[in-house]
Amino acid sequence: MERYREIIPDFDAFLETLERPQPVTVRVNRLKATPEQVTDALKKRGFDVKPLPWNGWILQVEGEDSVAKTLEHWLGWFYIQEASAATAVMALDPQPGERILDLCAAPGGKTTQMAELMANTGLIVANDVTPKRLRALLANLSRIGVVNTIVTQWDGRNYPDLGIEFDKVLIDAPCSAEGRVRENPDLRQGADINFIRSISGTQKGLLRRALELVKPGGIVVYATCTFAPEENEAVVAYAMQKVPSELLPIDLPVPHAQGLTEWQGREFGEAMRLCVRIYPHHLDSGGLFLAKLRRL
Ligand SMILES: C[S@@+](CC[C@H](N)C(=O)[O-])C[C@H]1O[C@@H](n2cnc3c(N)ncnc32)[C@H](O)[C@@H]1O
C-alpha cells in the first residue's frame, strides 16, 4: 500500500484501520421489513445491533454467530453488505419507474438495493458474464422479493442494444479489490501491477459501453472497490474521451476524499475532483471509488 502514501489522507489512520476486523453491516430490505423489525428480531437472537449515523437502513451487527445463518436472513429481511458498498447506489439515486442497467450485477447486492429503492417498479436489467455468480444473483433476487428485474448474461463490453432507453447505468466493475484488504490480507502489499493494467482494459471497455447505452442526458455511475488510479480516474478519463460526457458532483453524507487530478505524471483534469474516494478509515468499512457521469 506504500504507493498510495502520497494520495491517501491520514495514511497512519488508514494503516491502523486495516489492522482491525471490519464490522459486519446489513442493509434492511424495505420491501419486507423495517429497521425496527430487523433490530428487534436480531436482538432477540443475541446480536448487538445499531443503525449507522448516516443511513438508518444500514445496521451494524455484532454477535458470536454469523448473521447469515438467521431465519430473518433467509426470509430476505436484510442483505449483508459492506457499508461503503451501499454508497454506490446512493450516488446513482434510483427512482421508482426508472429503467436501469446494472452491467456487472452478480451476486446482486446493488441490484437488490436499487429494486428496494424503486419499490419494485420500473425495470432493472441485471447483467453479469459469470454463470456461477448469476446463479447467486437469481437466488438473491428471489430471497429479497425483487420482481422488477430481468437477468442477462453478456460480456458487458459488447452489451447489445436491447432497444431500451436506459435512464441510468451502474457499473460495479471487476477490479483488483484493494479496498477489501481487511478481508483479504494477501492484498496488504497492494495488488499485482500486471493485473491492475490488464483489468483496467476491461474496465475501460465496460464504462465506454455503459456511456453508449444510457440515453442522452442519462446518468452512469462507475464504481470499483480499489485504490489504484489506473482502475479509477484513468478509466474515467479514457471513457470521457470516447463518449461525450461530463462528471457530476456526488452528494453523499459520508466522509470521503476527492478524485485525483494527477497520478505519476499523468493529468486527469480538475473535474476529476468530483469523483469520490472512500478509504477504510472513513467509514470503518471497505474502500470504494465512485464517478458519476452524465452522457451529453
Ligand atoms: C464487483 S463484482 C459485482 C458485485 C455486484 N454489483 C454486487 O453488488 O453484488 C464485479 C462483477 O463483474 C463481473 N464481470 C467481470 N467481467 C465482466 C464483463 N466483461 N462483463 C460483465 N460482467 C463482468 C464479475 O463476474 C463480477 O460478478
Side-chain angles (χ1 to χ4, degrees):
M1 295 291 165
E2 274 304 311
R3 82 194 281 256
Y4 303 130
R5 183 176 281 278
E6 296 305 315
I7 62 168
I8 298 185
D10 206 350
F11 196 67
D12 289 339
F14 166 77
L15 290 180
E16 189 263 319
T17 306
L18 304 191
E19 298 301 320
R20 286 188 275 115
Q22 187 167 312
V24 174
T25 47
V26 305
R27 186 191 75 240
V28 175
N29 173 12
R30 62 186 83 205
L31 300 174
K32 291 192 177 180
T34 63
E36 292 72 27
Q37 285 170 321
V38 174
T39 302
D40 286 352
L42 292 182
K43 279 189 169 171
K44 280 188 188 131
R45 297 191 185 281
F47 290 92
D48 188 28
V49 185
K50 51 177 190 249
L52 297 189
W54 51 271
N55 188 331
W57 291 85
I58 305 175
L59 309 175
Q60 187 170 316
V61 178
E62 260 181 78
E64 297 285 302
D65 215 347
S66 165
V67 76
K69 292 185 196 159
T70 60
L71 177 64
E72 291 74 20
H73 182 245
W74 288 109
L75 289 173
W77 283 23
F78 58 84
Y79 192 103
I80 301 168
Q81 184 180 44
E82 274 189 0
S84 55
T87 61
V89 170
M90 290 167 70
L92 191 71
D93 191 23
Q95 297 296 317
E98 285 183 332
R99 296 168 181 205
I100 301 185
L101 173 62
D102 189 355
L103 206 53
C104 302
K110 299 179 187 67
T111 313
T112 51
Q113 187 180 3
M114 291 195 282
E116 291 162 18
L117 293 169
M118 294 160 76
N120 254 336
T121 66
L123 173 70
I124 301 174
V125 178
N127 176 72
D128 204 281
V129 78
T130 313
K132 194 171 162 206
R133 291 175 68 90
L134 278 172
R135 283 196 286 281
L137 168 68
L138 289 165
N140 280 324
L141 294 177
S142 164
R143 185 175 64 81
I144 295 295
V146 173
V147 294
N148 68 344
T149 297
I150 58 172
V151 173
T152 62
Q153 185 194 354
W154 285 90
D155 183 327
R157 292 170 292 183
N158 308 315
Y159 200 83
D161 182 356
L162 300 178
I164 297 172
E165 278 222 315
F166 288 110
D167 300 297
K168 294 174 179 169
V169 181
L170 176 67
I171 309 125
D172 187 20
C175 70
S176 59
E178 291 174 325
R180 310 200 76 185
V181 56
R182 293 169 84 181
E183 291 162 354
N184 184 358
D186 288 351
L187 287 166
R188 281 288 164 88
Q189 307 310 318
D192 177 61
I193 192 68
N194 292 318
F195 179 77
I196 289 176
R197 287 189 187 126
S198 118
I199 199 74
S200 79
T202 304
Q203 293 159 341
K204 285 173 182 165
L206 288 166
L207 181 52
R208 178 184 182 164
R209 189 67 190 132
L211 283 167
E212 290 166 352
L213 289 165
V214 80
K215 70 181 188 187
I219 302 296
V220 172
V221 166
Y222 173 76
T224 74
C225 61
T226 201
F227 311 127
E230 296 89 340
E231 300 181 58
N232 295 326
E233 288 87 351
V235 172
V236 174
Y238 165 89
M240 289 180 75
Q241 278 173 3
K242 297 293 176 189
V243 186
S245 49
E246 63 178 352
L247 278 160
L248 298 178
I250 301 175
D251 188 18
L252 284 179
V254 297
H256 58 266
Q258 297 177 328
L260 305 178
T261 56
E262 183 267 341
W263 170 253
Q264 295 184 336
R266 180 153 177 224
E267 302 283 337
F268 299 126
E270 280 302 304
M272 208 60 82
R273 284 191 205 281
L274 296 174
C275 298
V276 161
R277 286 178 156 262
I278 296 175
Y279 294 114
H281 56 298
H282 281 138
L283 299 180
D284 197 7
S285 181
L288 203 81
F289 171 87
L290 294 173
K292 183 171 183 174
L293 299 126
R294 185 187 356 244
R295 179 175 162 186
L296 297 174

Short mmCIF file of all heavy atoms in Angstrom, two decimals, residues 79 81 85 102-111 127-130 133 154-157 170 172-175 199 202 206 225, ligand 1:
data_model
loop_
_atom_site.label_atom_id
_atom_site.label_comp_id
_atom_site.label_asym_id
_atom_site.label_seq_id
_atom_site.Cartn_x
_atom_site.Cartn_y
_atom_site.Cartn_z
N TYR A 79 -29.94 -7.73 3.66
CA TYR A 79 -28.85 -8.17 2.78
C TYR A 79 -27.55 -7.80 3.46
O TYR A 79 -27.38 -6.65 3.88
CB TYR A 79 -28.98 -7.47 1.42
CG TYR A 79 -28.10 -8.06 0.33
CD1 TYR A 79 -28.64 -8.88 -0.66
CD2 TYR A 79 -26.74 -7.80 0.29
CE1 TYR A 79 -27.84 -9.43 -1.66
CE2 TYR A 79 -25.93 -8.35 -0.70
CZ TYR A 79 -26.50 -9.15 -1.67
OH TYR A 79 -25.70 -9.71 -2.66
N GLN A 81 -24.15 -6.44 3.56
CA GLN A 81 -23.47 -5.58 2.59
C GLN A 81 -22.51 -4.65 3.33
O GLN A 81 -22.87 -4.09 4.37
CB GLN A 81 -24.52 -4.74 1.84
CG GLN A 81 -23.95 -3.87 0.74
CD GLN A 81 -25.03 -3.06 0.02
OE1 GLN A 81 -25.92 -2.49 0.64
NE2 GLN A 81 -24.95 -3.03 -1.30
N ALA A 85 -20.04 -0.10 0.32
CA ALA A 85 -20.63 -0.55 -0.95
C ALA A 85 -22.01 0.06 -1.18
O ALA A 85 -22.42 0.30 -2.33
CB ALA A 85 -20.73 -2.08 -0.98
N ASP A 102 -27.79 -2.64 -14.81
CA ASP A 102 -26.72 -2.96 -13.86
C ASP A 102 -25.78 -3.92 -14.60
O ASP A 102 -26.06 -5.11 -14.72
CB ASP A 102 -27.35 -3.62 -12.62
CG ASP A 102 -26.36 -3.79 -11.47
OD1 ASP A 102 -25.17 -3.49 -11.66
OD2 ASP A 102 -26.80 -4.23 -10.39
N LEU A 103 -24.68 -3.37 -15.11
CA LEU A 103 -23.89 -4.09 -16.12
C LEU A 103 -23.06 -5.23 -15.53
O LEU A 103 -22.76 -6.20 -16.21
CB LEU A 103 -22.98 -3.08 -16.84
CG LEU A 103 -22.52 -3.39 -18.25
CD1 LEU A 103 -23.66 -3.71 -19.19
CD2 LEU A 103 -21.69 -2.23 -18.80
N CYS A 104 -22.66 -5.12 -14.26
CA CYS A 104 -21.86 -6.16 -13.58
C CYS A 104 -22.55 -6.44 -12.25
O CYS A 104 -22.13 -5.95 -11.20
CB CYS A 104 -20.44 -5.65 -13.34
SG CYS A 104 -19.60 -5.15 -14.83
N ALA A 105 -23.60 -7.23 -12.28
CA ALA A 105 -24.59 -7.22 -11.20
C ALA A 105 -24.40 -8.28 -10.13
O ALA A 105 -24.88 -8.12 -9.00
CB ALA A 105 -25.99 -7.35 -11.79
N ALA A 106 -23.78 -9.40 -10.46
CA ALA A 106 -23.78 -10.53 -9.53
C ALA A 106 -22.80 -10.33 -8.37
O ALA A 106 -21.73 -9.77 -8.59
CB ALA A 106 -23.41 -11.81 -10.29
N PRO A 107 -23.16 -10.76 -7.16
CA PRO A 107 -24.34 -11.55 -6.77
C PRO A 107 -25.59 -10.73 -6.43
O PRO A 107 -26.55 -11.29 -5.92
CB PRO A 107 -23.86 -12.30 -5.53
CG PRO A 107 -22.90 -11.33 -4.89
CD PRO A 107 -22.21 -10.62 -6.03
N GLY A 108 -25.58 -9.43 -6.70
CA GLY A 108 -26.85 -8.70 -6.60
C GLY A 108 -26.99 -7.74 -5.44
O GLY A 108 -28.10 -7.25 -5.18
N GLY A 109 -25.91 -7.46 -4.74
CA GLY A 109 -26.01 -6.52 -3.61
C GLY A 109 -26.61 -5.19 -4.04
O GLY A 109 -27.48 -4.63 -3.36
N LYS A 110 -26.15 -4.70 -5.17
CA LYS A 110 -26.62 -3.38 -5.60
C LYS A 110 -27.91 -3.48 -6.41
O LYS A 110 -28.75 -2.58 -6.35
CB LYS A 110 -25.49 -2.65 -6.34
CG LYS A 110 -24.30 -2.46 -5.42
CD LYS A 110 -23.13 -1.79 -6.03
CE LYS A 110 -21.95 -1.81 -5.05
NZ LYS A 110 -21.41 -3.16 -4.78
N THR A 111 -28.09 -4.55 -7.15
CA THR A 111 -29.37 -4.72 -7.87
C THR A 111 -30.52 -4.74 -6.87
O THR A 111 -31.55 -4.06 -7.07
CB THR A 111 -29.40 -6.06 -8.65
OG1 THR A 111 -28.19 -6.22 -9.37
CG2 THR A 111 -30.57 -6.11 -9.60
N ASN A 127 -27.13 -7.66 -15.41
CA ASN A 127 -26.27 -8.46 -16.28
C ASN A 127 -25.00 -8.89 -15.55
O ASN A 127 -24.49 -8.15 -14.70
CB ASN A 127 -25.88 -7.63 -17.51
CG ASN A 127 -24.92 -8.38 -18.41
OD1 ASN A 127 -25.32 -9.32 -19.08
ND2 ASN A 127 -23.64 -8.00 -18.40
N ASP A 128 -24.49 -10.04 -15.90
CA ASP A 128 -23.16 -10.44 -15.45
C ASP A 128 -22.65 -11.49 -16.44
O ASP A 128 -23.44 -12.19 -17.07
CB ASP A 128 -23.18 -11.02 -14.03
CG ASP A 128 -21.82 -10.91 -13.34
OD1 ASP A 128 -20.94 -11.74 -13.64
OD2 ASP A 128 -21.62 -9.98 -12.54
N VAL A 129 -21.32 -11.59 -16.53
CA VAL A 129 -20.75 -12.52 -17.52
C VAL A 129 -20.50 -13.90 -16.93
O VAL A 129 -20.32 -14.87 -17.66
CB VAL A 129 -19.45 -11.90 -18.11
CG1 VAL A 129 -18.27 -12.05 -17.15
CG2 VAL A 129 -19.12 -12.47 -19.46
N THR A 130 -20.51 -14.03 -15.59
CA THR A 130 -20.06 -15.28 -14.95
C THR A 130 -21.24 -16.15 -14.53
O THR A 130 -22.00 -15.76 -13.63
CB THR A 130 -19.20 -14.95 -13.70
OG1 THR A 130 -18.27 -13.94 -14.05
CG2 THR A 130 -18.46 -16.17 -13.20
N ARG A 133 -21.85 -16.92 -10.76
CA ARG A 133 -22.28 -15.75 -10.00
C ARG A 133 -23.71 -15.35 -10.36
O ARG A 133 -24.44 -14.79 -9.54
CB ARG A 133 -21.30 -14.60 -10.22
CG ARG A 133 -19.94 -14.87 -9.56
CD ARG A 133 -18.92 -13.80 -9.87
NE ARG A 133 -19.23 -12.52 -9.27
CZ ARG A 133 -18.82 -12.12 -8.07
NH1 ARG A 133 -18.09 -12.91 -7.32
NH2 ARG A 133 -19.13 -10.90 -7.61
N TRP A 154 -24.09 -11.40 -20.59
CA TRP A 154 -23.27 -10.89 -21.69
C TRP A 154 -21.95 -10.40 -21.14
O TRP A 154 -21.85 -10.03 -19.96
CB TRP A 154 -23.96 -9.68 -22.36
CG TRP A 154 -25.10 -10.03 -23.24
CD1 TRP A 154 -26.40 -10.13 -22.88
CD2 TRP A 154 -25.05 -10.34 -24.64
NE1 TRP A 154 -27.18 -10.48 -23.95
CE2 TRP A 154 -26.36 -10.61 -25.05
CE3 TRP A 154 -24.02 -10.41 -25.58
CZ2 TRP A 154 -26.68 -10.94 -26.36
CZ3 TRP A 154 -24.34 -10.73 -26.88
CH2 TRP A 154 -25.65 -11.01 -27.27
N ASP A 155 -20.95 -10.36 -22.00
CA ASP A 155 -19.77 -9.56 -21.69
C ASP A 155 -20.22 -8.11 -21.84
O ASP A 155 -20.61 -7.67 -22.93
CB ASP A 155 -18.64 -9.89 -22.68
CG ASP A 155 -17.37 -9.13 -22.35
OD1 ASP A 155 -17.46 -7.99 -21.85
OD2 ASP A 155 -16.28 -9.68 -22.59
N GLY A 156 -20.17 -7.37 -20.73
CA GLY A 156 -20.70 -6.01 -20.73
C GLY A 156 -20.03 -5.09 -21.74
O GLY A 156 -20.61 -4.09 -22.16
N ARG A 157 -18.82 -5.42 -22.16
CA ARG A 157 -18.12 -4.56 -23.12
C ARG A 157 -18.80 -4.60 -24.49
O ARG A 157 -18.65 -3.68 -25.28
CB ARG A 157 -16.65 -5.02 -23.27
CG ARG A 157 -15.83 -4.78 -22.03
CD ARG A 157 -14.48 -5.43 -22.12
NE ARG A 157 -14.58 -6.90 -22.10
CZ ARG A 157 -13.55 -7.73 -22.10
NH1 ARG A 157 -12.32 -7.24 -22.14
NH2 ARG A 157 -13.72 -9.04 -22.07
N LEU A 170 -25.40 1.41 -13.96
CA LEU A 170 -24.41 1.20 -12.90
C LEU A 170 -23.36 0.22 -13.40
O LEU A 170 -23.71 -0.84 -13.94
CB LEU A 170 -25.08 0.63 -11.64
CG LEU A 170 -24.13 0.27 -10.49
CD1 LEU A 170 -23.49 1.53 -9.88
CD2 LEU A 170 -24.88 -0.50 -9.39
N ASP A 172 -20.49 -1.68 -11.55
CA ASP A 172 -19.75 -2.05 -10.34
C ASP A 172 -18.67 -3.00 -10.84
O ASP A 172 -18.83 -4.21 -10.84
CB ASP A 172 -20.71 -2.73 -9.35
CG ASP A 172 -20.07 -2.97 -8.01
OD1 ASP A 172 -19.06 -2.33 -7.69
OD2 ASP A 172 -20.58 -3.83 -7.26
N ALA A 173 -17.56 -2.41 -11.25
CA ALA A 173 -16.64 -3.11 -12.14
C ALA A 173 -15.82 -4.19 -11.43
O ALA A 173 -15.49 -4.05 -10.24
CB ALA A 173 -15.69 -2.09 -12.75
N PRO A 174 -15.46 -5.25 -12.19
CA PRO A 174 -14.45 -6.18 -11.67
C PRO A 174 -13.17 -5.38 -11.46
O PRO A 174 -12.85 -4.50 -12.28
CB PRO A 174 -14.29 -7.20 -12.80
CG PRO A 174 -14.72 -6.48 -14.04
CD PRO A 174 -15.78 -5.51 -13.61
N CYS A 175 -12.46 -5.63 -10.38
CA CYS A 175 -11.28 -4.79 -10.07
C CYS A 175 -10.30 -5.56 -9.20
O CYS A 175 -10.57 -6.69 -8.81
CB CYS A 175 -11.74 -3.50 -9.37
SG CYS A 175 -12.34 -3.74 -7.69
N ILE A 199 -6.79 -5.50 -15.94
CA ILE A 199 -8.22 -5.30 -15.62
C ILE A 199 -8.66 -3.88 -16.01
O ILE A 199 -9.83 -3.66 -16.34
CB ILE A 199 -8.51 -5.62 -14.13
CG1 ILE A 199 -10.00 -5.86 -13.89
CG2 ILE A 199 -8.01 -4.53 -13.21
CD1 ILE A 199 -10.54 -7.15 -14.37
N THR A 202 -10.34 -3.96 -19.34
CA THR A 202 -11.74 -4.42 -19.26
C THR A 202 -12.64 -3.29 -18.75
O THR A 202 -13.72 -3.03 -19.28
CB THR A 202 -11.85 -5.63 -18.29
OG1 THR A 202 -10.97 -6.65 -18.74
CG2 THR A 202 -13.27 -6.17 -18.21
N LEU A 206 -15.97 -1.51 -20.37
CA LEU A 206 -17.28 -1.53 -19.69
C LEU A 206 -17.86 -0.11 -19.56
O LEU A 206 -19.03 0.13 -19.86
CB LEU A 206 -17.15 -2.18 -18.31
CG LEU A 206 -16.92 -3.70 -18.29
CD1 LEU A 206 -16.47 -4.16 -16.91
CD2 LEU A 206 -18.19 -4.44 -18.71
N CYS A 225 -13.90 -1.18 -6.06
CA CYS A 225 -13.51 -1.24 -4.64
C CYS A 225 -11.99 -1.34 -4.57
O CYS A 225 -11.44 -2.17 -3.86
CB CYS A 225 -14.20 -2.39 -3.92
SG CYS A 225 -13.84 -4.01 -4.57
C1 LIG B 1 -17.60 -6.21 -8.05
S1 LIG B 1 -18.42 -7.57 -8.73
C2 LIG B 1 -20.11 -7.03 -8.79
C3 LIG B 1 -20.80 -7.02 -7.45
C4 LIG B 1 -22.27 -6.71 -7.55
N1 LIG B 1 -22.53 -5.49 -8.26
C5 LIG B 1 -22.90 -6.62 -6.17
O1 LIG B 1 -23.13 -5.51 -5.68
O2 LIG B 1 -23.19 -7.67 -5.60
C6 LIG B 1 -17.97 -7.49 -10.42
C7 LIG B 1 -18.72 -8.43 -11.32
O3 LIG B 1 -18.34 -8.16 -12.67
C8 LIG B 1 -18.48 -9.36 -13.40
N2 LIG B 1 -17.74 -9.19 -14.66
C9 LIG B 1 -16.43 -9.32 -14.89
N3 LIG B 1 -16.15 -9.04 -16.17
C10 LIG B 1 -17.32 -8.71 -16.77
C11 LIG B 1 -17.68 -8.34 -18.08
N4 LIG B 1 -16.77 -8.23 -19.06
N5 LIG B 1 -18.98 -8.10 -18.35
C12 LIG B 1 -19.93 -8.22 -17.37
N6 LIG B 1 -19.63 -8.58 -16.10
C13 LIG B 1 -18.35 -8.82 -15.81
C14 LIG B 1 -17.95 -10.42 -12.46
O4 LIG B 1 -18.46 -11.70 -12.79
C15 LIG B 1 -18.46 -9.92 -11.10
O5 LIG B 1 -19.64 -10.56 -10.76
#
